[in-house]
Amino acid sequence: MANTTFQTRSDASTATPAQVSVPVLGATVAVFTAVSFLLCMALGFVAPEWGLHRPWLQFYLGLTGFDLWSVVLGTAQSLIFGGYAGALLGTIFNVISRRFG
């Protein structure tokens, strides 16, 4: 680390604005929400008195409890909603970065 030199650029205005891959961000957020849903449902099986599964049951359509259909439906909805949120955030970031970056 003692021999490390840092390069500085004086032409910072020619740098391209930061971009994010919209499909990659959408898929990442989709998988994150699906894994979060599955972990909360698993924790609901182990410790139902903690109530960590209740928000999922409240906000996702058609979930009735801890049956297999609710887990499958909730995972699908998590993937859809997470993908939508990630794609929307990525698009908004890219537009703002191009406009103001």
Side-chain angles (χ1 to χ4, degrees):
M1 291 298 276
N3 294 331
T4 303
T5 58
F6 295 103
Q7 302 292 327
T8 59
R9 296 181 65 190
S10 61
D11 56 343
S13 63
T14 62
T16 59
Q19 296 291 308
V20 74
S21 174
V22 173
V24 170
L25 183 62
T28 301
V29 176
V31 170
F32 173 77
T33 56
V35 169
S36 297
F37 171 78
L38 291 172
L39 288 174
C40 286
M41 291 300 279
L43 190 58
F45 281 118
V46 174
E49 65 276 359
W50 290 358
L52 297 177
H53 61 284
R54 288 190 189 116
W56 299 102
L57 299 176
Q58 180 180 1
F59 294 115
Y60 279 22
L61 305 172
L63 300 185
T64 56
F66 289 119
D67 55 350
L68 181 62
W69 175 247
S70 291
V71 172
V72 170
L73 185 62
T75 303
Q77 288 183 36
S78 294
L79 288 169
I80 292 168
F81 296 151
Y84 170 75
L88 186 64
L89 287 171
T91 303
I92 291 170
F93 176 82
N94 287 341
V95 167
I96 290 174
S97 178
R98 265 187 251 121
R99 177 84 171 127
F100 300 109

